[in-house]
Amino acid sequence: MRLRPPAWTARLTWKAAAFITVMCCALAALLGALVHVSVTHQTLHQAREKALTRLAEATRAYEAGDPLPPDTGIDPDGLPASLRELALSGRRGTLVSEHDGRPTMWAAAPADRRAMAAEIDYSQGVGTIMGLDRAIVGSSLLAISATLLVGVFAVTRVTRRLHQTAGVARRISAGDLDARVNDPRTKTPSRPQDEVATVAGALDAMASTLQRKLQSEQRFTADVAHELRTPLTGLHAAAELLPPGRPTQLVQDRVRAMRLLTEDLLEISRLETGSEQISPDTHRIGPLAERVARGPARGSGAPAEGPTEVRIVRDAYVETDRRRLERVLGNLIGNAYQHGAEPVVLTVDGPVVTVRDHGEGFPAYLVEHGPQRFRTEPRSGGKGHGLGLTIAVGQAEAIGAELTFANAPDGGAVATLELPEVRPDEATEGGPGDSTHTE
């Protein structure tokens, strides 16, 4: 099993903090190593020069037959063996080693086939280097902490602006076209802008352009529908005056279809502009669903006592606008008859209502992205989904319900509507015909 890092490690703030920490540690280690090497080299050089000077004095005293200076001697105890061998080979050298429990700088040179040596106490040099190392570590930790705090503060300001921009983008994608970032850095063109301000300005410009285009489309749809209503009303009246017959029936059917389409366009326009007035009340979902199933599904061609099967698993009280809920269920049933196959089953399980047919199922794009106006599928013989499902989704959102689409494992399309439930002790039924349950 592959281990995954925690989710918080993917955040930019933590990545920036880790990067700053690593870089500060690397820089502190490099500078500390350079300072340590430089000071150590300088301290050793000074101690070596002092030991060699004392060794030279001892050599001159030995050659003159004078007493040797302090801390010098011939083959003294404690002289490192490697330095003694170097002196006996005729060369001069220095070495740091422990002597009597303290660091000692030794210098040795040949003297009558023996080793002349001088020692210098190197404790002060070692103490200086250790103190320097502690100072380097302390100052590095302090510098890393200060840099990390400042860096995280600066990065947090940037990420906060990015989160704000992302939040506005999500609101726009959810349908709030009035949402804007309104970064103050984008208000003054002469003011320098960073990359986040550039993205925020681009997002605001895109949202404004999208809003204008959608509003223009909505006005066009509403204007077209309004302009069509008057001639269609006259055409409908004229069609009713035609003599009975097959041609008359065809004309009347087409006029009726055009009137329904015009009403759908007007309804979509009202839904998109938010001009619909909602009248919520408490209703029992079972009788309401049965009444919709008994009535003719809009555009389905089902008879008044249609074959829609209703299954009440558990009845419930819901808070909704009855007329709009009936519109949603009617459109779902009508779509099942038009684009699916019988039997069509409407199931009520508490506040959840499902409408299922036994046809080929919803197209993949509809399940994933929701219904799209007038879209057709070439592989299904040009069969589309018109405006019925689009209106159903809009009306469901208006009454605070959630409408989802899926395909059953054994075939058939399934539309699921979840409504806000009301507890029985809080329910007060409203609307005509909602107080009786018809079997």
Side-chain angles (χ1 to χ4, degrees), residues 384-398:
H385 290 267
L387 297 177
L389 293 185
T390 304
I391 293 175
V393 171
Q395 293 288 11
E397 292 178 355

Side-chain angles (χ1 to χ4, degrees), residues 202-219:
L203 178 63
D204 286 349
M206 180 197 70
S208 298
T209 303
L210 180 62
Q211 185 177 37
R212 286 194 300 269
K213 290 184 177 180
L214 288 179
Q215 289 175 346
S216 176
E217 179 185 347
Q218 291 168 1
R219 286 193 299 269

Side-chain angles (χ1 to χ4, degrees), residues 243-289:
R246 179 61 179 169
T248 298
Q249 184 65 38
L250 290 176
V251 171
Q252 292 175 347
D253 288 343
R254 292 303 87 197
V255 171
R256 188 179 302 109
M258 290 184 66
R259 292 188 66 186
L260 290 176
L261 178 60
T262 303
E263 293 175 7
D264 288 346
L265 290 174
L266 285 172
E267 186 171 356
I268 287 178
S269 177
R270 290 192 296 268
L271 288 170
E272 290 180 341
T273 56
S275 59
E276 289 279 9
Q277 298 297 323
I278 308 300
S279 301
D281 208 337
T282 303
H283 302 275
R284 284 178 60 189
I285 187 64
L288 192 149

Side-chain angles (χ1 to χ4, degrees), residues 149-294:
L149 289 176
V150 174
V152 169
F153 174 75
V155 172
T156 301
R157 292 188 61 188
V158 175
T159 55
R160 187 182 301 117
R161 293 167 59 199
L162 288 174
H163 283 302
Q164 180 185 1
T165 304
V168 171
R170 284 190 288 268
R171 289 171 56 191
I172 294 173
S173 65
D176 184 6
L177 297 181
D178 293 323
R180 298 292 186 274
V181 181
N182 289 325
D183 194 314
R185 295 167 182 79
T186 61
K187 300 301 181 182
T188 306
S190 60
R191 184 176 180 180
Q193 298 183 10
D194 58 8
E195 288 78 2
V196 180
T198 302
V199 172
L203 178 63
D204 286 349
M206 180 197 70
S208 298
T209 303
L210 180 62
Q211 185 177 37
R212 286 194 300 269
K213 290 184 177 180
L214 288 179
Q215 289 175 346
S216 176
E217 179 185 347
Q218 291 168 1
R219 286 193 299 269
F220 175 77
T221 302
D223 292 343
V224 168
H226 278 293
E227 292 297 326
L228 286 175
R229 292 186 76 178
T230 301
L232 282 175
T233 301
L235 187 60
H236 176 74
E240 295 295 330
L241 299 177
L242 294 175
R246 179 61 179 169
T248 298
Q249 184 65 38
L250 290 176
V251 171
Q252 292 175 347
D253 288 343
R254 292 303 87 197
V255 171
R256 188 179 302 109
M258 290 184 66
R259 292 188 66 186
L260 290 176
L261 178 60
T262 303
E263 293 175 7
D264 288 346
L265 290 174
L266 285 172
E267 186 171 356
I268 287 178
S269 177
R270 290 192 296 268
L271 288 170
E272 290 180 341
T273 56
S275 59
E276 289 279 9
Q277 298 297 323
I278 308 300
S279 301
D281 208 337
T282 303
H283 302 275
R284 284 178 60 189
I285 187 64
L288 192 149
E290 288 184 330
R291 184 167 57 252
V292 174
R294 288 197 306 268

Side-chain angles (χ1 to χ4, degrees), residues 76-154:
D77 294 336
L79 180 65
S82 58
L83 189 58
R84 184 189 303 274
E85 293 177 0
L86 182 66
L88 294 178
S89 65
R91 292 178 293 174
R92 187 179 66 170
T94 58
L95 183 67
V96 177
S97 67
E98 290 286 333
H99 180 55
D100 294 336
R102 55 185 175 84
T104 302
M105 172 65 76
W106 291 93
D112 295 336
R113 297 182 181 178
R114 291 186 297 177
M116 172 68 71
E119 60 179 298
I120 298 296
D121 186 6
Y122 192 58
S123 300
Q124 184 177 359
V126 172
T128 300
I129 295 174
M130 293 179 64
L132 177 65
D133 290 343
R134 287 192 294 269
I136 290 174
V137 172
S139 60
S140 298
L141 292 176
L142 181 62
I144 291 172
S145 300
T147 305
L148 184 60
L149 289 176
V150 174
V152 169
F153 174 75

Side-chain angles (χ1 to χ4, degrees), residues 318 351-354 396 399-404 415-421:
V318 296
V352 179
V353 182
T354 59
I399 61 178
E402 182 180 3
L403 179 59
T404 57
T416 303
L417 181 68
E418 186 172 355
L419 296 153
E421 186 174 9

